[in-house]
Structure formats: structure tokens, C-alpha cells
Amino acid sequence: MRGVVFDGARVEVVDDLEIRDPGPGEVLVAVAAAGLCHSDLSVIDGTIPFPPPVVLGHEGAGVVEAVGAGVVHVAPRDHVALSTIANCGACGECHRGRPTMCRKAIGAPDQPFSRGGKPVYQFAANSSFAERTIVKGVQAVKIPDDIPLTSAALIGCAVVTGVGAALNRAKVDRGDSVVVIGTGGIGLNVLQGARIAGAGVVVAVDANPEKEAVARRFGATHFFRSTEGVRDVLPQGADHAFECVGRVELVREAVELLDRHGQAVLLGMPGASAEASFVVASMFLDKSILGCRYGSSRPQRDFALYAELYRSGRLLLDELVTATYPVEDFGVAVADAEAGRVARGVLTF
């Protein structure tokens, strides 16, 4: 079968991948669509260390082909969006409603694939850049059949991370002021999360002026090419500032934009050893810096919520999909993403 494999030196679309049968508690999914996220590119450039060879992709949707023993919540022919959180469901964190903090969900990656008789790793417990993938049952979330799978794929990363950061982690409230630095796939979803929450002033910041129209469509009330103009709109600072780029200097700027009791939420992924600095004295006005993993979500609950918000017209999904590419055009999709030409490019099988 076809898939996108990174061997540690280069990426290629191969057609000789093999995948094992699903075991107990697992689901075999025929992937229909998968969004190209910056995290996939970060594996390629080394920002996210990951052992090769690995099948990339972690933002996908498809149709269940088979289930292992004990899986009862999905069945063959069901449409599913795929989560990257392979949580155990039995530990203290899972029982507290914090599956993203499950320690068993982070660790040695599985190798359900093989190529030429040699095992191939799975990225983010997902690997949606393959015609078929195997996930834990808890990662397969049933969605209505009337949601296009090219749109549903984005629920599994960009949407759950961005919207979840606004609703679950920051808990943006009605009338709050919000600044979003970076309006890629994650930033656009923070914007619409803030809109759904009823935020008042929502400022988008992006160096690319061509991003303004789409940022406003997703919920921005103001747009600036740098943070310099933000204080003109929010002279006392923002209740919430989201850094969605992954640059340490922008982390500092997010902190400096906060009002009293404000919080900066870090979503962008800098290098693994990157360090950021800020003026410590400024934090004693009850300000906070928050990390956020996967939108602090509960995927089985949140994916279903986002599907219903989409069906009611409150959550934009189709508008995120700027372009679709057959998987063979992976290189074209990467070039478009790196040039900032797309909100989200989606690979199809």
C-alpha cells in the first residue's frame, strides 16, 4: 500500500508498505484524507526528534475496515476521525478526565508497519499518511457520515488543538480580549474557538498580510502584521495571548501583551532545547504562562462536540481546506505549506 515514509534523510511516497492485522482493542482504518501539519515537517527537519524509518501523518479521517477483540464503539464502515492520544483509559489522569496527560500515551512508538520485511515506526500513534493505519480503539472517534472526510480529518489536530486551547485550556469567556500570534491552521482554530466562546476583541497577528481575510472570517476583529499595533486596540493588554508559531521571541511578546490576570498559552513548537525569557517582575500581577497539549482535550467528547458545531454552522471546517492533493503530490503540498499558500493542505487516498 501507499504511504509517506521518512527514512531519517529524505521523504518519499512509497507503494510497498505493509500493515499487520488489528489486535485486541485496536482498529484498522482505511484513511481517506489527512491534513499536512507543521509537526510532520518538524519531524523531517529534526525539530521533533523521532526514530526512522517512520510513516508520517497524524491528522486523519477515514472508514473503519476491521476491529480487534473488545472494540464495541465503532464497527466496519463507520466514519471516524483519528486522535493522536493513545491513552490507556485506566490510569489516574484518564479517570480525572485528562487523557492528554496519560503517561502511557507517551513513550516507545509502535511499529505496525513493515517494508521489505523490516519494521517501520508509527508517528504520533497515528501515521495517517498511509492508505491504512492501526490505532487504539480510544483514538477512533465516530463521526456523522455527512461530514466530508477531507474536512473531518482536520478535527484530529488543528481543530482540537486550536479550539480546545481556547475553550478547555484558556477557558476564554464572553467579552474577553484575545490575541492570536500566527494564523496558520492552529491559529485560525484558536480564532474560531474565541469566537465560539463569545470573546470581545480578537486580534490576529501575522507577518503575511494575505492572511487577514481568512483571519477575519474565522473570528478576528482586528489584524496586524506585528504585535506593535496591538496596544492601540488593547491599551491595557489582553486577557489571553496565544503563541501559535513556535518562536521564542514571540513567546516573550505574548507575555508582554498580557493585562493583569492575563494568560499566555503556548501552542507553537520551537526546538526541543529552545529557551524563552521574560521579565519576571511582570508576572506578579497574577499573570500566567500555560503549556497546552492537544487542546487539553477529551477526544471522544470533544470530537463529537466539534462535529455537531460544524453541522450547526458554528464551526468552520470546509473553509480550512485550502487545497487537496493526491498523496503522490506530497512534495507539492509541502512546498505550498512552507510558502504560506494554504490554511491547510489535505492529502487524499
Side-chain angles (χ1 to χ4, degrees), residues 6-342:
F6 176 58
D7 66 4
R10 66 189 186 98
V11 182
E12 63 178 325
V13 180
V14 304
D15 60 7
D16 58 349
L17 271 179
E18 296 183 358
I19 192 167
R20 60 172 173 78
D21 294 331
E26 294 181 332
V27 179
L28 176 66
V29 178
V31 179
L36 175 59
C37 174
H38 187 75
S39 294
D40 299 304
L41 304 181
S42 293
V43 174
I44 298 170
D45 67 21
T47 301
I48 297 178
F50 206 89
V54 56
V55 179
L56 297 176
H58 64 285
E59 184 182 71
V63 180
V64 174
E65 280 201 353
V67 300
V71 176
V72 296
H73 71 292
V74 293
R77 295 186 295 279
D78 283 347
H79 287 202
V80 292
L82 302 180
S83 163
T84 68
I85 303 299
N87 61 295
C88 70
C91 68
E93 297 295 346
C94 287
H95 280 288
R96 292 185 185 98
R98 299 196 294 245
T100 59
M101 295 296 103
C102 175
R103 287 174 172 81
K104 294 184 180 180
I106 306 172
D110 196 6
Q111 294 176 308
F113 305 100
S114 61
R115 188 179 178 212
K118 297 180 179 180
V120 178
Y121 283 106
Q122 183 176 43
F123 178 54
N126 191 304
S127 287
S128 55
F129 290 170
E131 287 187 80
R132 291 172 180 80
T133 193
I134 285 176
V135 297
K136 281 188 174 182
V138 72
Q139 296 176 256
V141 184
K142 186 175 179 179
I143 57 172
D145 291 357
D146 59 358
I147 300 179
L149 290 171
T150 48
S151 298
L154 305 188
I155 294 175
C157 180
V159 172
V160 73
T161 300
V163 176
L167 300 183
N168 299 330
R169 188 62 168 132
K171 301 187 187 306
V172 175
D173 203 356
R174 289 169 294 179
D176 283 358
S177 56
V178 174
V179 176
V180 179
I181 302 174
T183 59
I186 300 299
L188 289 176
N189 280 290
V190 176
L191 289 171
Q192 68 171 334
R195 171 178 51 78
I196 290 167
V201 175
V202 180
V203 181
V205 178
D206 199 294
N208 184 352
E210 295 182 2
K211 297 287 190 71
E212 180 172 1
V214 68
R216 290 184 179 275
R217 187 174 191 181
F218 275 75
T221 60
H222 299 75
F223 182 92
F224 295 103
R225 294 185 62 184
S226 75
T227 59
E228 292 180 4
V230 174
R231 288 283 182 176
D232 294 335
V233 177
L234 296 171
Q236 294 182 324
D239 296 313
H240 314 276
F242 297 83
E243 200 284 329
C244 305
V245 180
R247 288 169 47 190
V248 294
E249 64 271 24
L250 295 179
V251 171
R252 184 185 181 100
E253 290 181 24
V255 172
E256 292 176 345
L257 286 171
L258 296 178
D259 194 359
R260 298 183 179 196
H261 202 68
Q263 50 189 15
V265 183
L266 310 186
L267 297 174
M269 180 64 71
S273 60
E275 297 183 0
S277 64
F278 56 91
V279 178
V280 176
S282 70
M283 302 302 292
F284 292 104
L285 293 172
D286 283 3
K287 299 179 184 180
S288 304
I289 300 174
L290 305 178
C292 183
R293 174 172 166 78
Y294 207 58
S296 301
S297 66
R298 287 180 275 175
Q300 288 288 339
R301 179 201 67 173
D302 290 354
F303 282 27
L305 169 63
Y306 300 151
E308 289 309 311
L309 287 173
Y310 165 80
R311 296 174 88 194
S312 68
R314 296 179 63 195
L315 181 77
L316 305 181
L317 290 181
D318 303 338
E319 294 82 355
L320 282 168
V321 182
T322 310
T324 59
Y325 311 83
V327 68
E328 290 80 8
D329 287 345
F330 176 75
V332 178
V334 170
D336 286 348
E338 291 181 333
R341 290 189 285 265
V342 294

